Amino acid sequence: MSDRFVIWGIMEQREGYIEHIKFRNPDNGYTIFTLSMAGDEEELTCVGSFPVISEGEYVAVEGNMTVHSLYGEQMQVTGFTVSIPKDSLSMERYLGSGAIKGIGLTMASRIVQKFGDATFRIIEREPERLAEIKGISERMARDIYAQFKEKQGMREAMMYLQRYSITGALAVKIYKQYGAEMRNVLESDPYRLTEDISGVGFKTADIIAMSMGIQADSENRIRAGILYALQLAAQYGHVYLPEPELYRYCIELLGVPFELLEHIVAELTIDRKLIVKVKETADGGEERQVYAAVSYFTELGVARMLHDLNFRDDISDQAVARQLTKIEDNLDIELDDIQRRAVFEAARSGVFVLTGGPGTGKTTTINAIISLFESRGLHILLAAPTGRAAKRMTEATGREARTIHRLLEVSRMGDENGEFRRGMFQRNEDNPLEADVVIIDEMSMVDIYLMNALLHAVPVGTRLILVGDSNQLPSVGPGNVLRDILASGAFPIVCLTKIFRQAEESDIVVNAHRINNGEEIRLDNKSKDFFMMRRSDPQVIIREVCQLVRDKLPKYVKTTAAEIQVLTPMRKGELGVENLNRVLQEYINPPEEGRQEYETRGVCFREGDKVMQIKNNYQMEWEVRGVRGTIKDAGTGIYNGDIGIIKSINRFAEEMEIQFDDGRTVQYPFGSLEDLEHAYAVTIHKSQGSEYPAVVLPILSGPRMLLSRNLLYTAVTRAVSCVTIVGSEEMVRHMIKNANEQKRYTGLCDRIREINV
């Protein structure tokens, strides 16, 4: 049970002065303040999004009243209005609050004593008269006027935007982008928001436009709708859309005829906002592929940079063979013929791709390649897409590996959609990585934008080695980079297929390969590391999952409950991420006296909770601490999929401390908690690049087309020591047979082939 309850459905209104702002997140406007109500000795704590208020202002607020066991009565504010002070007492209170820099209580008193109820009129219309007051110069008077007008303009802008349900961080972004021109921009073309401001989608702009009376067949609306359709497609992994699919979606979205769409697509193509590529199909026909220009040129850039890196070294086979014999002796290994070929290809290639499933010797091969390059005095950098994958790479190679973002040194100018922007990374073509060899693991997770950013930082002459399993799920972001590179046939590739004897002892490895090949797997529970608990009732499955995670598996695999990971195909439903996390939290980390917690947006965060960052935040500061608390490393950037534990919650400072898997510690302001969710259970997609001692898979039902072979394969290969499936054997068999994968529209393979002609 939470220590807080809400009196639902009772909307209250209060008004008074903002006495004290206890907390303010300037990025999103999340604020906690005390309201001093007229004629009332008591103060009311208000919580909500208030991007422009200041202490001393008179506000009317509306929201749900709540009672907190620690903090008493509070209001969760859903709407507010700010009134300009009209009497001298209110004006003095406002000016003395610190709202205008340079004016304190004494100076506020002097100003109001001089001008009385006309104070604000004087500041706005005759600001030079402020210099009549002792202590105020003409320059200071101009500064007071500028601050006053800026706050007035921003306040009016916020009130204006509130009409269209735009509040908080987004309203601040809009005002900062357009300033005094904001209203003119919105009333002439509200769809400009979608192009100018990150975080404003078509639907938000469309609501504003419709309320302003803009017609459904407006060219501005259709242009924005087409670009929005391509942005939405990117969320499903597509880099382009076939023209018929684009038109079909836009007709449904916009409710306009095909002819209008065709006309606007042609105009956008002329304006270079869109790129249309015509590709010959297998049956001799044509497919017209419609790209947003940035997506097309990103693909083209990746293809060009890979081509430029793809040199051949003239090192002799005899020299490599001699070095390799010494390496095998030093590492006490014996490579098979395919592994040896991989080392030879890596030695003479500018770009080399190594693929293979679990147990096929990828790690041994990589270590041999690293040793070969080190014996030649070459400097090597290792990286992977996620913190967990980088940590695993470090453990496997005995050498430092970093996330790709850390390798490229994130700046504070990152785009929240994760796309490459000039200035997003400090490492680029002007400040390239200092290395002879760059090795990237878990390449199936790398999307087209991250690949583009990486290649900008790899100078020509540097070797690039890409390692991954092409049978894993593709990246969460747009593109299918690894598969497209493999399909292009333009680069040396070695695919490891032999399962080594030690790996053959693991049913996890054997079953993973069987799943990948579409073969039946044994589910008779005679295995030591692969189990099936047949259950048909969702509530029974949930109970079994909880017992496995907390009570049974930690002892079996000799680890903690926090290291056991529940993976599920879905977010919604009884066996989806959202419900499982609620139940698992109460079972694994229940309320306890002395264990701090904080509730926001209906989610209770508690000390000891396992949590995940769900969007890239390039500004969030982190540090790595030594044994005695000394800071060993520091930087910025927390990324989508990073998992950590809540170490402490500080209600006084309004923040919680989270330690992530790779040792980074972050202080999260309460206002940034919308970027966090519990991670006792995560989707299989989110688990890519990670390994866990044990994995629990609740599998019962769901969209049969989406429950596919590579989804199950990805889930099973996340486990090191134990896989337990709880649910329907029939559904597991269906997933193995279902080789269908969601189609991704990508053109990197074609771009590579075009450049290599």
Side-chain angles (χ1 to χ4, degrees):
M1 291 290 289
S2 169
D3 65 352
R4 177 180 182 229
F5 72 91
V6 177
I7 309 173
W8 299 103
I10 302 177
M11 293 294 291
E12 299 279 353
Q13 292 182 332
R14 298 284 191 275
E15 58 182 65
Y17 296 98
I18 297 172
E19 188 70 36
H20 176 54
I21 294 179
K22 296 180 175 180
F23 174 79
R24 158 77 59 77
N25 183 326
D27 293 329
N28 59 20
Y30 177 81
T31 307
I32 302 173
F33 68 84
T34 53
L35 186 72
S36 178
M37 292 173 286
D40 195 332
E41 294 182 0
E42 294 187 7
E43 295 177 345
L44 174 65
T45 299
C46 296
V47 180
S49 183
F50 306 91
V52 294
I53 59 171
S54 302
E55 290 180 354
E57 288 189 306
Y58 193 85
V59 296
V61 294
E62 180 180 68
N64 287 306
M65 296 303 301
T66 67
V67 177
H68 195 287
S69 61
L70 293 178
Y71 300 99
E73 190 175 60
Q74 298 179 345
M75 174 181 280
Q76 295 290 316
V77 178
T78 56
F80 74 100
T81 57
V82 180
S83 298
I84 302 297
K86 294 182 173 58
D87 61 85
S88 57
L89 181 62
S90 300
M91 291 176 185
E92 181 176 339
R93 186 169 186 161
Y94 173 76
L95 292 174
S97 69
I100 304 294
K101 291 180 182 178
I103 300 181
L105 291 171
T106 302
M107 185 61 72
S109 177
R110 288 181 195 166
I111 294 171
V112 174
Q113 283 180 14
K114 173 73 173 178
F115 300 116
D117 290 351
T119 296
F120 278 16
R121 182 184 63 77
I122 295 295
I123 294 174
E124 185 176 359
R125 299 180 187 177
E126 303 175 74
E128 66 279 0
R129 290 190 60 192
L130 292 172
E132 299 173 12
I133 296 170
K134 183 180 179 181
I136 298 181
S137 64
E138 291 184 5
R139 181 177 177 181
M140 184 177 176
R142 288 193 298 269
D143 185 52
I144 292 171
Y145 167 76
Q147 288 189 62
F148 187 83
K149 290 298 288 185
E150 182 183 7
K151 286 185 175 294
Q152 187 181 54
M154 196 168 191
R155 187 184 299 111
E156 290 172 356
M158 295 302 118
M159 296 302 106
Y160 174 76
L161 291 172
Q162 271 194 3
R163 301 181 200 170
Y164 309 108
S165 301
I166 300 173
T167 57
L170 185 54
V172 174
K173 279 185 181 180
I174 293 172
Y175 183 76
K176 285 182 178 178
Q177 176 71 27
Y178 302 120
E181 290 298 308
M182 182 198 74
R183 195 160 181 167
N184 291 335
V185 170
L186 293 184
E187 291 178 356
S188 61
D189 181 13
Y191 297 102
R192 269 186 60 183
L193 295 173
T194 62
E195 296 183 43
D196 294 345
I197 300 175
S198 175
V200 178
F202 172 79
K203 292 186 177 179
T204 299
D206 206 34
I207 290 171
I208 297 172
M210 293 296 101
S211 64
M212 290 178 171
I214 291 177
Q215 298 300 307
D217 60 357
S218 158
E219 288 198 3
N220 286 336
R221 179 173 187 262
I222 297 171
R223 286 169 65 95
I226 291 169
L227 295 173
Y228 168 72
L230 292 170
Q231 290 174 7
L232 192 64
Q235 295 178 23
Y236 292 93
H238 304 304
V239 183
Y240 72 85
L241 282 179
E243 197 172 55
E245 288 203 25
L246 175 64
Y247 287 151
R248 184 162 53 250
Y249 179 77
C250 287
I251 288 170
E252 181 181 333
L253 172 71
L254 301 170
V256 297
F258 165 79
E259 292 76 18
L260 272 177
L261 289 170
E262 190 176 36
H263 168 67
I264 300 299
V265 165
E267 283 194 351
L268 286 168
T269 304
I270 293 170
D271 293 342
R272 304 294 283 175
K273 296 281 188 181
L274 299 180
I275 303 293
V276 179
K277 294 290 290 184
V278 180
K279 180 181 179 180
E280 186 175 335
T281 58
D283 60 3
E286 289 184 344
E287 179 186 65
R288 288 173 58 83
Q289 303 168 345
V290 185
Y291 286 82
V294 66
S295 300
Y296 174 76
F297 288 113
T298 298
E299 271 195 346
L300 188 62
V302 168
R304 177 186 57 77
M305 289 184 284
L306 284 171
H307 174 271
D308 292 346
L309 290 170
N310 193 25
F311 64 86
R312 298 294 286 179
D313 196 316
D314 58 3
I315 186 171
S316 69
D317 288 352
Q318 292 79 8
V320 175
R322 285 194 300 270
Q323 290 175 310
L324 193 50
T325 299
K326 293 179 182 178
I327 289 167
E328 287 180 305
D329 290 340
N330 291 337
L331 297 180
D332 192 22
I333 58 173
E334 184 177 348
L335 302 178
D336 69 9
D337 290 343
I338 300 179
Q339 289 176 307
R340 291 179 69 85
R341 182 160 64 86
V343 178
F344 274 77
E345 288 290 357
R348 55 187 171 224
S349 303
V351 176
F352 170 63
V353 186
L354 178 66
T355 70
T360 58
K362 284 203 303 291
T363 298
T364 301
T365 307
I366 293 169
N367 282 332
I369 291 170
I370 291 172
S371 295
L372 176 70
F373 287 137
E374 286 180 339
S375 71
R376 296 171 61 186
L378 301 183
H379 179 50
I380 305 164
L381 292 175
L382 309 180
T386 66
R388 271 187 175 258
K391 183 180 179 183
R392 185 155 47 87
M393 196 179 188
T394 297
E395 293 167 351
T397 63
R399 296 157 180 87
E400 182 191 11
R402 286 172 278 180
T403 64
I404 297 174
H405 286 86
R406 288 188 69 185
L407 183 74
L408 298 179
E409 299 175 18
V410 173
S411 74
R412 292 177 173 270
M413 297 174 63
D415 179 87
E416 65 184 25
N417 297 318
E419 299 180 10
F420 173 69
R421 294 286 184 270
R422 188 169 297 278
M424 175 176 169
F425 295 108
Q426 295 180 51
R427 292 290 181 175
N428 49 47
E429 60 268 40
D430 298 323
N431 181 30
L433 295 168
E434 297 172 4
D436 301 301
V437 184
V438 176
I439 302 177
I440 306 296
D441 198 8
E442 293 289 354
M443 267 300 300
S444 63
M445 296 183 64
V446 177
D447 65 37
I448 192 68
Y449 294 114
L450 187 56
M451 187 65 177
N452 185 42
L454 172 67
L455 292 177
H456 271 278
V458 179
V460 173
T462 300
R463 299 172 191 273
L464 179 65
I465 297 175
L466 309 176
V467 185
D469 183 350
S470 61
N471 295 305
Q472 302 279 2
L473 292 168
S475 57
V476 174
N480 212 340
V481 174
L482 179 59
R483 290 194 189 182
D484 279 352
I485 290 173
L486 294 171
S488 73
F491 309 99
I493 297 164
V494 171
C495 181
L496 304 177
T497 56
K498 176 185 174 182
I499 305 176
F500 284 85
R501 184 169 56 193
Q502 186 176 358
E504 283 181 336
E505 299 174 4
S506 166
D507 285 321
I508 295 174
V509 172
V510 172
N511 283 339
H513 285 274
R514 286 181 168 275
I515 290 167
N516 190 46
N517 295 329
E519 301 169 358
E520 291 290 325
I521 61 175
R522 290 174 56 188
L523 295 172
D524 56 10
N525 289 334
K526 294 181 180 180
S527 170
K528 294 181 179 180
D529 61 10
F530 203 103
F531 305 100
M532 177 79 211
M533 300 177 68
R534 295 164 181 81
R535 304 289 187 271
S536 57
D537 184 329
Q539 292 303 314
V540 173
I541 292 173
I542 291 171
R543 186 167 65 247
E544 295 283 6
V545 167
C546 289
Q547 291 175 352
L548 284 166
V549 173
R550 191 186 74 173
D551 305 323
K552 298 178 181 179
L553 287 176
K555 297 175 185 175
Y556 189 73
V557 297
K558 296 179 175 58
T559 189
T560 63
E563 287 294 308
I564 311 298
Q565 189 60 58
V566 178
L567 302 180
T568 177
M570 300 163 292
R571 287 197 59 83
K572 303 293 183 180
E574 289 182 282
L575 299 181
V577 164
E578 294 175 5
N579 186 56
L580 284 173
N581 271 321
R582 282 191 290 269
V583 177
L584 284 163
Q585 182 199 31
E586 293 303 301
Y587 198 81
I588 296 171
N589 189 36
E592 186 177 290
E593 187 175 351
R595 184 179 292 167
Q596 293 294 315
E597 60 183 51
Y598 178 74
E599 186 173 333
T600 177
R601 298 174 291 111
V603 178
C604 178
F605 292 102
R606 190 173 292 136
E607 290 176 348
D609 272 345
K610 186 177 179 180
V611 292
M612 174 188 284
Q613 175 79 10
I614 59 172
K615 65 183 292 189
N616 292 339
N617 185 326
Y618 300 99
Q619 285 75 42
M620 187 74 80
E621 297 180 351
W622 55 261
E623 57 188 34
V624 177
R625 299 171 186 164
V627 177
R628 298 182 179 179
T630 56
I631 298 175
K632 296 168 58 180
D633 194 9
T636 59
I638 300 295
Y639 307 110
N640 188 356
D642 286 350
I643 289 180
I645 301 293
I646 298 176
K647 307 302 288 186
S648 66
I649 296 176
N650 187 330
R651 287 183 170 276
F652 179 78
E654 304 284 354
E655 63 184 17
M656 62 176 63
E657 182 177 279
I658 298 175
Q659 186 171 55
F660 287 92
D661 288 336
D662 57 3
R664 290 173 300 161
T665 297
V666 177
Q667 303 296 331
Y668 268 79
F670 283 177
S672 296
L673 297 185
E674 60 193 23
D675 294 345
L676 283 179
E677 64 180 30
H678 289 106
Y680 298 102
V682 302
T683 62
I684 296 170
H685 275 88
K686 287 281 191 182
S687 73
Q688 288 174 267
S690 298
E691 276 190 354
Y692 312 96
V695 163
V696 180
L697 302 174
I699 297 175
L700 183 61
S701 61
R704 296 179 76 87
M705 288 299 293
L706 298 181
L707 295 175
S708 62
R709 179 185 301 171
N710 69 335
L711 194 72
L712 182 61
Y713 174 78
T714 300
V716 167
T717 53
R718 298 309 90 205
V720 175
S721 302
C722 183
V723 170
T724 306
I725 302 174
V726 187
S728 165
E729 180 179 345
E730 186 271 334
M731 184 56 73
V732 173
R733 305 287 184 198
H734 161 77
M735 292 179 77
I736 295 172
K737 293 176 183 177
N738 181 18
N740 294 323
E741 297 181 28
Q742 186 176 356
K743 171 68 177 174
R744 284 200 171 196
Y745 296 115
T746 67
L748 179 60
C749 176
D750 295 330
R751 304 292 83 76
I752 292 172
R753 288 175 175 171
E754 290 168 1
I755 287 176
N756 280 274
V757 171

